[in-house]
Amino acid sequence: LQMAGEGVARNFMNVYLDQGLGMTPAQIGTLLAVAQLVATPAALATPIVAERTGWKPTFIIASTFVAIFLFPTGIAIHWLAVSLSYLGVMVASSVRRPATIVIQMESVAPAWRPTMSAVSTMTAGMGGALIAITGGRIIGQMGFGWLFGIGAAFSLAGVLVFIVGFRSGSAVARSAHAARSAEIEAS
């Protein structure tokens, strides 16, 4: 769920900019390059942000911003607005990703971290494939706006699932606490 917004943007934004808004391939390539360049310092700043707010709030805020930036993409009619939305999605995704990894690793005992990493990579790949397969069909039947709106909605759903999963007393929260306790005892 958390990858839905980023996946929709990565897979279909270039198609939308070409077919929907008439941007040239050179303009689209430049936008994609600028987005990656702008997202780099955001990823590097994530530990600084998380030090002040915590990893979980950083994840929640960044994931929410992915959805906030993605949603107007489907209703904007000017390439500049869509381009700025895409930049926002990529920056927020670059903050969300390191937070996700840290939270995942802290949520399991050290012996399970390689498995957690593998499962996370597998589910992200499967989610990306599902987005690519269904996204084209959604565009064909309902248009780009619906696809970007659905991606934003699924990203917000991912935030809600995360909040519920890590609320005090949940199985996920207990597991994360047990993993931290095991790590402290091991050291």
Side-chain angles (χ1 to χ4, degrees), residues 26-153:
Q27 290 171 320
I28 295 168
T30 300
L31 170 62
L32 298 179
V34 168
Q36 290 302 311
L37 291 173
V38 171
T40 300
L44 293 172
T46 302
I48 297 166
V49 172
E51 186 175 306
R52 290 178 169 235
T53 63
W55 286 105
K56 291 171 189 160
T58 299
F59 169 85
I60 291 167
I61 292 165
S63 295
T64 301
F65 271 106
V66 168
I68 289 170
F69 282 116
L70 185 60
F71 182 74
T73 301
I75 57 176
I77 57 172
H78 193 274
W79 67 268
L80 183 57
V82 173
S83 297
L84 291 174
S85 289
Y86 181 73
L87 287 171
V89 169
M90 291 300 104
V91 167
S93 294
S94 290
V95 172
R96 180 199 45 79
R97 201 172 302 113
T100 301
I101 294 168
V102 169
I103 293 165
Q104 288 171 340
M105 294 302 110
E106 288 180 346
S107 297
V108 297
W112 285 97
R113 290 180 182 162
T115 302
M116 173 61 96
S117 179
V119 168
S120 175
T121 300
M122 177 195 69
T123 57
M126 290 171 61
L130 183 61
I131 288 167
I133 289 169
T134 59
R137 291 180 185 356
I138 291 170
I139 292 167
Q141 293 180 1
M142 297 187 284
F144 284 100
W146 277 97
L147 177 65
F148 293 128
I150 290 168

